[in-house]
Structure formats: structure tokens, C-alpha cells
Amino acid sequence: MPPWFEQHATLLDKALDACARRYAWSGWPESPSSKIHGEAKPAEGQARFEAMLNNDFILQQPGETEQVGEEISPYTGEPLGVRYPRVDPAQLFPAINSARPAWAAASPNERVGVCLEILHRCGQQLFENAHATMHTSGQSYVMAFAGSGANALDRGLEALAYAHKAMADVPATAHWERQFGADGVASLDKQYRLVPRGIGVVICCATFPLWNTYPALCASLATGNPVILKPHPAATLPVALVARVCREVLSDAGFDPNLVTLAADTREAPATIALVEHPDTAIIDFTGSPRFGTWLERNCPGKQVYTETAGCNSVVVESTEDLAATARAIAHSLCQASAQMCTSVQNIHIPAQGIKVAGKQVSHQEVAAAICAAVDDWLAVPRAAATLCGTLFDPSVLSNVDHYRQLAIAEGRVLRDSAPYTNPGYPVARTATPLVIAATGADRDWYRKEVFGPVSFIIANESAEACLRDATANARECGAITSHVYSSDPVFLGDAVEAYHNAGASVACNLTGMPINFAAAYSDYHVTGLNPAGNACLADLAFVSSRFRIVQCKFMGVVPLPPSTRGAAD
Amino acid sequence: MPPWFEQHATLLDKALDACARRYAWSGWPESPSSKIHGEAKPAEGQARFEAMLNNDFILQQPGETEQVGEEISPYTGEPLGVRYPRVDPAQLFPAINSARPAWAAASPNERVGVCLEILHRCGQQLFENAHATMHTSGQSYVMAFAGSGANALDRGLEALAYAHKAMADVPATAHWERQFGADGVASLDKQYRLVPRGIGVVICCATFPLWNTYPALCASLATGNPVILKPHPAATLPVALVARVCREVLSDAGFDPNLVTLAADTREAPATIALVEHPDTAIIDFTGSPRFGTWLERNCPGKQVYTETAGCNSVVVESTEDLAATARAIAHSLCQASAQMCTSVQNIHIPAQGIKVAGKQVSHQEVAAAICAAVDDWLAVPRAAATLCGTLFDPSVLSNVDHYRQLAIAEGRVLRDSAPYTNPGYPVARTATPLVIAATGADRDWYRKEVFGPVSFIIANESAEACLRDATANARECGAITSHVYSSDPVFLGDAVEAYHNAGASVACNLTGMPINFAAAYSDYHVTGLNPAGNACLADLAFVSSRFRIVQCKFMGVVPLPPSTRGAAD
């Protein structure tokens, strides 16, 4: 096979170093600007995307039964018209099984090399991926290029680096000898072999189809497990693009392309349960709703289940030196990707009596107003608003916003009303600006769950300590992926860090001047596994080290001759 | 706390190096000989053991309700009379919970230091531990000193080395900065904290009470989890000795001794289910029957479950250069510890047409006879037989031997009959020499399960290939912890290695001149997790890396002041 491991060794080494020291680094460009890429590449990417519309997406997989495709662009309201093969598990699994032995027999470095080449080639289709993501997940073009491009590839490379590290921890051979009493010296040679678990099923989500997919794909594939990618019916194209690359790379390396397959389905006839319950499925990676994630965690005994779901992410504002900067940072989270990110803030806890701003008392109402004003500020320029907010990926998100809007209006609690914003390029785009609702601790039934989409609550707890108690109790009991505290007081900050950590949550303090939703590959451990928002972390040794097992052979004297080495002698 | 991490750093470094290169090494002496230890130490250890008999074992644990003790020496038939406190979970768990925060807040190196000191002090009570093991598990004194002493401590140190490695993979802090568009440079400091899962319950077995206990204890405790040791009612004393050391070391270090507790119980009123199902229990380590192990694996969702159970370990004999040495090696396994080891051989597959011995055909019957003769040879000198075989730990083992003996006699299949042997020091010791039964592939119902104790089958399959097929199918479907092949043919050996590995089993080839049951810490990965004989491996990264999680704090500007550092300023 091509010397990909060696070709991409510098990239892998850099990723290993970044994981160890956790500084800022990216293996791919985040900006789609033609100043970086030239004029041709973006245009070619767009042309390739457009050529896929209203066509069959050819994968030539075993067991293809019919063509399905339900994607509708939230920008145009038009179906994408891309049709993907549905596969029959009764034919798919045997075909995958016949591909397994050669992949399991490949060396860890060969498999890591294949994964590095997959990431490299996926990095060459970031423009068409951006369009595909935009018109399925509803992200803006810039967000789709970065968040579902470089940032997602970085998460994949990070997981691959950990898989490499865990596999490299097991030596290939050893020599062992010692005296046993009067029997003399026993001298043994030993060989250790990594054995993959089985087939991995990766269940992708609609809003960030690749951010968790690359890591799960790399973690399972590098450790020798075939992967079935199960995309969301609303966001299949970005995943199909990855599946096609994987199959091409595997073929180029002389492996069976069926080591990575796409299992497209429909909302009417979902494929997931049949895939995860199949006896050959040994690993399940899931991103999506807490309800199904918990079901998988509890009902797949004997299988490795890795989940990232959701919770009710919180902000506690105790004090600040710069209210405008703080409000701007929080407001950015309410707007970005229309709050459809797993890191979007939902519950903003501000003491009822207000906070100190640079030493001066400012009322709760003024702080709330500053946040709402900051939202308006982010949305003031239509083009910038469109880049920041994107669209609502599904009509159900809009219904959810409407539902909370009616409730809040009925109770006179609207702090900032939601309305469509006009997307300059797409007049019929499905959009909604952030709805901000006033609440108190008495309304906990409203906010103690994920309210998906641009809906947030500004909660007046009776004190800063009560804010912290409410927010951390919710993290512990309802889940949290990100949590924020704003305070000028090092003692309060210290208490807040302790309280969030005790609730099994990570925490960010006083983040301003950057998108606070940003979770950095190689640096931020994403999902703690200690609260209901998921059980797996991107990425740590635990994410990779159980995806393979170890068998060993020890021998005295005659050296076993492996079947694979006999060809030359025959 | 005392600088134990630094004091024992050389030992830890040596263990890390041995794990990485997997050569033969031990941190403790294997022989109880007075040539090594002098005359005083063995005598003092014995005296300390005898002083414990017919006395309460004082642990001063929370929630002690009554004294229980059911141990009966298989050597004397007399009760040991040691009484252990039964604890009420309703009082035990809250007491443990109040000990958790300080232990979780200790640095990884502090916790590893405590574990190193625990192993060090357990290494100083190997003589009393040998007597305690002998009179509960029924092992011989020599075996109890080595197999439940140095060999077990080495497994503990091995697991501790992996825990250290996994924790050291997460840095304590990082600095991260990057440009976000026009917003300027975002500069963040980050702190990463390891968070233990919860309480670990370690369920110990009767025949090797410490061999899996030290690793589970070290893996959980080093990563911050309190440990409840649940000994077998028939073999509590060795575990109680460890619990006492742990509690002393923790106290000496200024930690709450309730971080390690003993939950003694009786066969009549077992404590296990209440412990494992308690909501604060997050980790379960189990050694024992496949039935209960599988139940735990399938019925404890959300908890980490690590099992080592049992299977039907096999030998395939295809050919040999030295039949006497081969027979002697296999026979040793049938005798050692009366085949009550997880690595004891049960199913010996020999082609019906016989095998080549140094190129000459030898019949199946002659090979079987050689093995039986080798058993007799091992047993010829009573003192040596006693050292090798020990006793049957429980009357049920003798019943089991009798059961199979009656069946085999009825069918005329006894190749070697079992009988008590006379133990020179203990005339009433419960003993039985190996029963060897003739079988064919048609009798698979007899041998396709663990038959506990000194019962083995010499199975005449129709060819060497059929031997391999039968043995590997049984490994795959019924479990195997060790597997052996004897062959002079490198091609057959290569095929055999492949077949066992495909069945999820490790394999040893042509082991002679050493105890073939021996599994070496730092070198042999023990249990593959790929067949029904358990899901965990001693030891690999997977054994340790999910016992803790990671939370992080990132901050700009004001540095959070942790509560723990405020004392000086107050």
C-alpha cells in the first residue's frame, strides 16, 4: 500500500504533541476566503456540489435495495434531490465481515496511514462539504466551512492520534526468560496482536454531521473495526461525501471498500435499531438526543457505546469589569448557528438584585437588557447576521421556537422577541432570531431540559450563590456540555469551578472577545461523561483503548509460521 | 503526606519499563525459603497468623453490625474461627462518601504513592498471608507464598503502572491562544482535573483471593475511587489482611481509612448484590463464575464492569520432539493447585490416530498413557505432591470430582483414577489427585464447560485439524483463559495460532520445563476479553483509562482561587 503513514507522519506527530501540551493548533484552514484558496477552488467545490443535486449518489455498496433521499435545503425550501442507496443489513453485514480479516491483519501503522489519507482527502473537499452542510444542517457557509470542515477534521485527527498512542503502547514482540527452580531457564518469545472488537456503527446528527463522525470513524477504523456510517435523513450528503472518500482510499490501499459503508434511511423507515442490535455490531458511537442516547447506553449490553447528547448549558453572571463585552460574548452564543450547537448557552442565571459592574451596582433588568441589546447588535448587519445565525435546519425547530414564544407572550415574559431575519442571499430561508425569556427559580420546569434552537432563559435567582446552585444542580441532573461563569471575584470563581466540577461539568470563566461556543480540538476535552449529556469524551485514552483487545502467542523453540507469510515458500 | 511516590519511584519506573518491554521481572521474592529471609521472619509470620485464629479481626469500620466468619481449613478441617465485621450498606456508603472529596482532590502522584506504599507493606506480610491463603484457598504453602504473594503483588503493581500512565497522559495545565477574526487574540489558561467515577466494588474469588484483587484495588484507588473489598466467605482472611494495610496506610497519609473497606458476608446472607446495585457504586471488578460474571456484564448499565471468569482451557497435541517433556508439562497443569487455577488445563485434544514423536508414529493411547504416567510421576514423592497439589478448597470440589468419577467409571472411561493423596503435614487434608477421562468429539457435552477441580479429558478427535477445530470452537463459545499447542511443525503451529486468535484466545506453543499455568505480570496479557471467560485484561490501558474522567476549567484574566488554597489567606 502507499506509504501514507510516512507521508503524513509530520501531521500525526504534530497532533500528538498538540494533544500532549494542548495548545492552539489546526491541521486545516478555517477560512474559505479566496485570499487563501484562490478563486478557482471555491468555485470548483460549488460546481461539484451542484452537480450532485438531483442525482443518484453512487457508492456501489453491497445490498443496495432502493434509492432514498429526504434532504430539503433550509435556505431554499427545495429538495436537494440527492438519492442514496438504502442497504439491506442481511447483505451488508456478510459483505463487511468478509472484508474484516485483511483489515484486522494490517499493521496499526498501515491502518493509521489509511485514516490519515482519508482525513487528507476529506480536507480537499471542504468546499463541496461546506455547501452540502449548509443546505442540510442549515449552517452558514463560513460556519460550514470551518465548524464542519477544519474543526471537525481536527477532532478526527485528535481521535486518531489517541488511537495511535493506545495501539503503540502494546509492543509487537518480547523475549522473556527466567529460572523455574531446578527445571532450568525457561526462554520464551512472545508476539502480541491487536484484535478489533467488531463492526462499529456511527450514528451522525443533523446539525453537525461530521464533528463527531470523523473522531468515531477514525477511532474505530484505525483500531481495525469496519464502520457503518448512519447519517441523519436530513443531513446525509456531508456524510456520504466522507463515505465515498473512505471507500476510495481503502480501495487505493488494496483493501475492501466495504470496510466503510453508508446506511442511508428515511424518517419513515429508520435503519438504526437493526444496525445497533445486529450481533456483529460491537461498537456504537452516537450523537443526538439524550433520550435515544440513554436508551443505547442502557440497552446494548456487551457492546461499547459512546454517546454525546445534550443538556441545558448555563451561564452564571456574578460580576464583571466590562458588561458590554460580557453581554456581547453571551449574545454571540445565543445567535451562533441559531443556538443549534451542543455548546450553545440556554440558561443565563443573573442574581435578582443585579450584579457589580466594575464595582458599581447594576440591576438585573439592566444586565438582561444589555444581553438582549448585544443580540440586536450582532444582528444589525444582515450579511453578518446570516453568517452568524445560519438557518433552522428543520421545521420542528421553528415550531419549538413558536411554542415557547406563545407561552412567554401569554405570561408576559418576553425579554427579546424572536422573528425571522432576512437572509440576503436566500429570501425564503427558514430563520429565527433569538427568543429570550424571563424566568425565576420557580420556573425550573421550563428550563431544566434542552430547549432546542434559539430559545434562552434569563433566570433571576435570589443571589449569586443561588444562581450557582441552580445552574450546577441542572448540570448534574439534566446534563451540560459547556458552562460559563462571569465574575471579577477570584473567590467566587474558585467556588464556581468547584461547584461545576462537583456536578461533573467543565467550566469556562470570563470568556470574551471570542466565540464562547468554540471547543478546541487537541485542547478542550469535550463532554465529561460525568453528567447526563453523554458518556464519552473527545478525545481521551478511554475513547479509544477499548475499541481493540490484545491476544498473544508465546512459544519455545519452533517458530510458528503464519499463514500469511507462506505464499513466497509455496 | 510521606513522600512515598518519591521513595518508591524506582519500583514504579521499573514496572513501567517491564510493561513496555515485557521481559521477566518481579518486584518481590517468590520463594519463602529461610535462605533468603532468615529464620525469624517466616516464624514471626506464622505466629502472627496463629494469633489471629479464633479472634475478632478488628477493622473499626462504619456500620459494623455483627461478626461473621465461615472459614474452615481444608488442611485441618477445623474452623479458623476468625470473625470479621459485617457492615450495613446504609451506614457504610455515606461514610465512604464523606471520605471521597479529599481523595479525589489528592494529586495522581499522591494517590499512586499511597498505592505503592500499600503494596510495599503487603509485601512485608507475605508469610502470614501465605498461611492465611493456605488455610482458606487450600493452596500449598509454597504456592500461597508465591502465587498469592509476589505474583499477585506484581499484578497489582502492573495495574498501578498502567493507571499512572493513563493519568500522566492528561496534563495539569495548558496555555492556549489564537486569533478569532477581527476580535483579536484570545488567550486562555486551562486546568484539567481527573475525576474518579465513584465507588469501586471488588469481588474476590476463593481460590486466588489476591491475584485479581491487588490489580483491581490499585486501578480503582489510584484513579481516586474508594474501594469496597468483598471477599469470598471461604477465603476472607487474605483479603482482610490487605484491607487492614490499606486502612493503615491511608490513615498514615492523613486520609480517611474508609476509602478502603471490607464487606465480609456469609453464604447464607451474601452482601454482593446490595453492593453492586447501590447507586454510588460505579465500578465493579469481579473474579468468579461465568454465570455471575455474565449477569454483572449485562445487568449493571452505566457502571464499569471488569470480569475474569473461566472457560474450558485446552491443549492440542499434534506432534512433539520429546513426549516425556510434553507429557510432564501437561501433567503439571493437571496437578498444580489441584487444577483450581484459572489457567489450569482441562481439555487435552490428541488425534485418534496418534501423533508423530520425533518423526515416529505413537498411538493416541500411548500419548494418553504418557500424560497419566507423568501425573503419577509428579505425585510420587508425598512432600512434593503436597507442594504441587495443595488441597481442594471446598467440599463441593470433591463432590464434583466424585460426580465425574462415577460417570466415567460407569462408562468405562477412566484413564487415570482420582484418589486422595496423603499430605505429610496434614493427615485429614481434603485432597484428590487428577481424574483423567477418555472422551471423543461425541462427548462434547461433558467437556464444553468449566469442570472445576482436578478433572480433565483426553479427547480423541479424528485428526489434528479436528482437534484444533474442536478446541478453538470451545474457546470461542465456552471461553478460554489459556490454550496450549504442542507441535514440531511450524505450519501447524502457525495455523493453530491463527485459529486460537480467531477464536479470541491467546495461545502458548511447546511450553516445557516450566509450569505452563504461569501467567507473568508485566509480560502476559491475561484474559483477552474476546471470549466468554471475562471482559477485562490484566493489565492494559483499557483496564484503567475509564476509571476516571476529565473535567476542565478555562479562564481569561482573573485566576479562580480554589477553596482549598484559601486557608493561608483567611
Side-chain angles (χ1 to χ4, degrees):
Chain A
M1 60 168 276
W4 288 324
F5 184 81
E6 293 72 18
Q7 279 174 19
H8 300 299
T10 309
L11 192 73
L12 179 63
D13 287 344
K14 186 71 188 161
L16 285 162
D17 188 59
C19 287
R21 301 200 282 140
R22 310 197 82 75
Y23 47 76
W25 176 69
S26 177
W28 287 271
E30 272 191 327
S31 164
S33 166
S34 54
K35 287 178 199 159
I36 299 169
H37 302 278
E39 298 291 342
K41 279 189 181 174
E44 288 162 10
Q46 181 164 4
R48 283 193 292 269
F49 164 70
E50 284 167 2
M52 289 185 274
L53 301 176
N54 301 304
N55 258 313
D56 286 353
F57 195 99
I58 306 298
L59 285 167
Q60 293 185 298
Q61 299 184 148
E64 297 186 354
T65 55
E66 58 168 333
Q67 299 294 103
V68 296
E70 299 186 344
E71 293 160 310
I72 296 173
S73 169
Y75 283 90
T76 66
E78 298 293 323
L80 267 58
V82 191
R83 293 172 298 270
Y84 311 92
R86 184 195 283 281
V87 287
D88 173 15
Q91 294 177 66
L92 179 67
F93 279 88
I96 295 172
N97 283 338
S98 73
R100 282 167 65 180
W103 188 240
S107 75
N109 283 2
E110 285 173 329
R111 294 193 303 246
V112 170
V114 164
C115 290
L116 285 165
E117 179 67 12
I118 286 171
L119 294 176
H120 172 69
R121 291 199 202 172
C122 287
Q124 293 174 329
Q125 63 182 13
L126 291 185
F127 287 102
E128 51 264 52
N129 174 63
H131 289 282
T133 304
M134 184 179 170
H135 289 284
T136 53
S137 300
Q139 294 174 22
S140 71
Y141 178 65
V142 169
M143 176 65 138
F145 190 88
S148 292
N151 301 161
L153 285 165
D154 279 327
R155 279 287 177 206
L157 179 57
E158 176 191 52
L160 183 58
Y162 276 95
H164 174 73
K165 193 185 325 197
M167 292 193 289
D169 191 66
V170 181
T173 61
H175 183 73
W176 185 95
E177 60 179 57
R178 58 159 281 186
Q179 182 91 20
F180 279 101
D183 279 337
V185 171
S187 174
L188 290 173
D189 285 297
K190 305 194 180 189
Q191 298 171 339
Y192 309 100
R193 191 187 296 183
L194 308 184
V195 179
R197 285 269 185 190
I199 293 172
V201 172
V202 178
I203 305 163
C204 317
C205 72
T207 46
F208 272 80
L210 300 186
W211 205 79
N212 299 66
T213 299
Y214 285 130
L217 168 72
C218 287
S220 275
L221 195 63
T223 53
N225 307 282
V227 171
I228 302 172
L229 298 170
K230 211 307 281 176
H232 194 284
T236 301
L237 188 51
V239 183
L241 285 167
V242 172
R244 187 163 67 188
V245 166
C246 291
R247 295 172 63 80
E248 284 170 2
V249 171
L250 285 160
S251 291
D252 291 351
F255 292 103
D256 188 327
N258 293 328
L259 291 164
V260 178
T261 52
L262 183 82
D265 63 359
T266 60
R267 294 178 196 232
E268 185 86 356
T272 310
I273 295 292
L275 296 175
V276 299
E277 291 190 340
H278 195 284
D280 295 337
T281 295
I283 305 173
I284 299 158
D285 286 271
F286 172 76
T287 315
S289 74
R291 197 179 50 80
F292 191 53
T294 303
W295 186 89
L296 288 169
E297 290 168 17
R298 311 214 143 236
N299 292 283
C300 301
K303 307 193 182 203
Q304 304 283 316
V305 178
Y306 303 89
T307 64
E308 176 187 338
T309 61
C312 45
N313 298 330
S314 61
V315 182
V316 169
V317 186
E318 188 266 346
S319 58
T320 176
E321 295 298 299
D322 183 343
L323 180 58
T326 295
R328 186 172 164 82
I330 296 168
H332 190 276
S333 177
L334 304 184
C335 295
Q336 191 177 26
S338 298
Q340 295 165 107
M341 299 171 71
C342 63
T343 52
S344 298
V345 153
Q346 176 183 301
N347 296 344
I348 304 158
H349 299 266
I350 302 170
Q353 79 276 21
I355 66 168
K356 293 275 188 206
V357 175
K360 289 185 190 147
Q361 189 69 18
V362 173
S363 74
H364 175 93
Q365 289 71 17
E366 287 173 278
V367 178
I371 293 169
C372 294
V375 169
D376 293 338
D377 198 46
W378 281 114
L379 305 177
V381 179
R383 186 168 297 278
T387 296
L388 179 57
C389 298
T391 64
L392 307 182
F393 91 96
D394 190 77
S396 65
V397 185
L398 191 54
S399 312
N400 197 38
V401 175
D402 283 342
H403 170 71
Y404 278 89
R405 187 167 174 267
Q406 296 308 327
L407 286 176
I409 290 173
E411 299 206 10
R413 292 164 177 250
V414 176
L415 289 175
R416 188 193 178 282
D417 201 4
S418 175
Y421 77 85
T422 306
N423 191 301
Y426 299 92
V428 302
R430 184 189 308 117
T431 65
T433 64
L435 172 68
V436 184
I437 300 173
T440 71
D443 309 312
R444 53 211 309 267
D445 289 351
W446 287 50
Y447 59 78
R448 272 170 59 86
K449 59 184 172 236
E450 185 196 31
V451 176
F452 193 76
V455 178
S456 59
F457 302 90
I458 292 186
I459 302 155
N461 298 99
E462 61 202 16
S463 66
E465 291 67 31
C467 287
L468 193 55
R469 276 198 303 277
D470 193 5
T472 55
N474 299 342
R476 178 185 291 109
E477 293 156 24
C478 315
I481 290 182
T482 51
S483 309
H484 295 271
V485 181
Y486 290 88
S487 171
S488 319
D489 176 3
V491 168
F492 185 83
L493 280 181
D495 288 341
V497 170
E498 208 60 27
Y500 273 110
H501 284 0
N502 285 338
S506 288
V507 62
C509 303
N510 293 320
L511 264 54
T512 57
M514 64 172 282
I516 68 171
N517 287 359
F518 189 77
Y522 319 109
S523 184
D524 286 327
Y525 291 102
H526 184 75
V527 179
T528 67
L530 293 166
N531 68 57
N535 72 4
C537 170
L538 295 186
D540 61 7
L541 285 171
F543 187 67
V544 297
S545 60
S546 289
R547 293 181 194 248
F548 64 90
R549 306 300 297 165
I550 307 161
V551 294
Q552 70 173 41
C553 161
K554 52 186 178 184
F555 57 93
M556 276 185 183
V558 187
V559 181
L561 188 63
S564 57
T565 62
R566 284 176 213 157
D570 282 355
Chain B
M1 61 169 275
W4 289 324
F5 184 82
E6 293 72 20
Q7 280 174 20
H8 300 299
T10 309
L11 191 76
L12 179 64
D13 286 345
K14 187 72 188 161
L16 285 163
D17 188 60
C19 287
R21 302 199 282 140
R22 312 196 79 77
Y23 48 76
W25 177 71
S26 176
W28 288 271
E30 272 190 329
S31 164
S33 167
S34 54
K35 288 179 198 156
I36 298 169
H37 302 277
E39 299 291 343
K41 280 188 183 176
E44 288 162 10
Q46 180 163 5
R48 280 194 293 270
F49 165 70
E50 286 167 359
M52 288 184 275
L53 302 176
N54 301 305
N55 258 314
D56 287 353
F57 195 99
I58 306 297
L59 285 168
Q60 293 186 298
Q61 298 183 148
E64 296 186 354
T65 55
E66 59 167 332
Q67 299 294 104
V68 296
E70 298 186 344
E71 293 159 309
I72 295 172
S73 168
Y75 282 91
T76 66
E78 298 292 325
L80 269 57
V82 191
R83 294 172 298 271
Y84 311 91
R86 185 195 282 282
V87 286
D88 173 14
Q91 293 177 66
L92 180 67
F93 278 89
I96 295 172
N97 282 337
S98 73
R100 283 165 67 180
W103 188 240
S107 75
N109 282 3
E110 284 173 328
R111 293 193 304 246
V112 170
V114 164
C115 290
L116 286 165
E117 179 68 14
I118 286 171
L119 294 175
H120 172 69
R121 292 199 201 171
C122 287
Q124 294 174 330
Q125 63 181 13
L126 290 185
F127 287 103
E128 51 263 51
N129 175 63
H131 289 283
T133 304
M134 182 179 172
H135 289 284
T136 53
S137 299
Q139 293 174 21
S140 71
Y141 178 64
V142 169
M143 176 64 137
F145 190 87
S148 292
N151 301 163
L153 285 165
D154 279 328
R155 280 287 178 205
L157 179 57
E158 175 190 53
L160 183 58
Y162 276 96
H164 175 72
K165 195 186 320 199
M167 291 193 290
D169 190 65
V170 181
T173 61
H175 183 73
W176 186 94
E177 59 180 59
R178 59 159 283 190
Q179 182 91 23
F180 280 101
D183 280 338
V185 171
S187 174
L188 290 173
D189 285 296
K190 304 192 182 190
Q191 297 171 341
Y192 308 100
R193 191 186 297 182
L194 308 183
V195 179
R197 283 271 186 191
I199 293 172
V201 172
V202 178
I203 304 164
C204 318
C205 72
T207 47
F208 272 80
L210 300 186
W211 205 79
N212 300 66
T213 299
Y214 286 129
L217 169 71
C218 287
S220 277
L221 195 62
T223 53
N225 307 283
V227 170
I228 301 172
L229 298 170
K230 212 307 281 177
H232 195 284
T236 301
L237 188 52
V239 183
L241 285 167
V242 172
R244 186 162 67 186
V245 165
C246 291
R247 295 172 62 80
E248 284 169 2
V249 171
L250 286 161
S251 290
D252 290 352
F255 291 103
D256 188 327
N258 293 327
L259 290 164
V260 177
T261 52
L262 182 81
D265 63 358
T266 61
R267 294 178 196 233
E268 184 86 353
T272 310
I273 296 290
L275 295 175
V276 300
E277 292 190 339
H278 195 283
D280 295 337
T281 295
I283 305 173
I284 299 159
D285 286 90
F286 171 77
T287 316
S289 74
R291 196 179 51 79
F292 190 54
T294 303
W295 185 89
L296 287 169
E297 290 169 16
R298 309 211 146 238
N299 292 282
C300 301
K303 307 192 182 205
Q304 305 284 315
V305 178
Y306 303 89
T307 63
E308 176 187 337
T309 61
C312 43
N313 298 330
S314 62
V315 183
V316 169
V317 186
E318 188 267 345
S319 58
T320 175
E321 293 300 298
D322 183 344
L323 180 57
T326 294
R328 185 173 164 81
I330 297 169
H332 190 276
S333 177
L334 305 183
C335 296
Q336 191 176 26
S338 296
Q340 296 166 107
M341 298 172 71
C342 63
T343 53
S344 299
V345 153
Q346 175 182 301
N347 295 345
I348 304 158
H349 300 266
I350 302 170
Q353 79 277 22
I355 66 169
K356 293 274 188 209
V357 174
K360 291 184 188 147
Q361 189 68 19
V362 173
S363 75
H364 175 93
Q365 289 70 19
E366 287 172 279
V367 178
I371 293 169
C372 294
V375 169
D376 294 337
D377 198 46
W378 280 114
L379 305 177
V381 180
R383 186 168 296 277
T387 296
L388 180 57
C389 298
T391 64
L392 308 181
F393 91 97
D394 190 77
S396 65
V397 186
L398 191 55
S399 310
N400 196 41
V401 176
D402 283 342
H403 171 72
Y404 278 88
R405 188 167 174 268
Q406 296 308 327
L407 287 176
I409 289 171
E411 299 205 13
R413 294 165 177 247
V414 175
L415 289 175
R416 186 190 179 284
D417 200 4
S418 176
Y421 78 86
T422 305
N423 190 300
Y426 299 93
V428 302
R430 184 190 307 117
T431 64
T433 64
L435 172 70
V436 184
I437 300 173
T440 71
D443 309 312
R444 51 210 312 266
D445 289 350
W446 288 49
Y447 59 78
R448 271 170 59 84
K449 59 183 172 236
E450 184 196 31
V451 177
F452 193 76
V455 179
S456 60
F457 304 89
I458 292 186
I459 302 155
N461 298 98
E462 61 203 15
S463 65
E465 290 68 28
C467 288
L468 193 55
R469 274 197 304 276
D470 194 4
T472 55
N474 299 342
R476 178 184 290 108
E477 293 156 23
C478 316
I481 289 182
T482 51
S483 308
H484 295 270
V485 181
Y486 291 87
S487 171
S488 321
D489 177 0
V491 168
F492 185 84
L493 280 182
D495 288 342
V497 170
E498 208 62 25
Y500 273 110
H501 284 0
N502 285 338
S506 288
V507 62
C509 303
N510 293 321
L511 264 53
T512 57
M514 65 172 282
I516 69 171
N517 288 359
F518 189 77
Y522 320 109
S523 184
D524 287 328
Y525 291 101
H526 183 75
V527 178
T528 67
L530 292 166
N531 67 57
N535 73 2
C537 169
L538 294 186
D540 61 6
L541 285 172
F543 186 66
V544 297
S545 60
S546 289
R547 293 181 195 249
F548 64 89
R549 307 299 299 166
I550 307 162
V551 295
Q552 70 173 41
C553 161
K554 53 186 176 185
F555 56 93
M556 277 185 183
V558 186
V559 181
L561 187 66
S564 57
T565 62
R566 285 178 212 154
D570 284 354

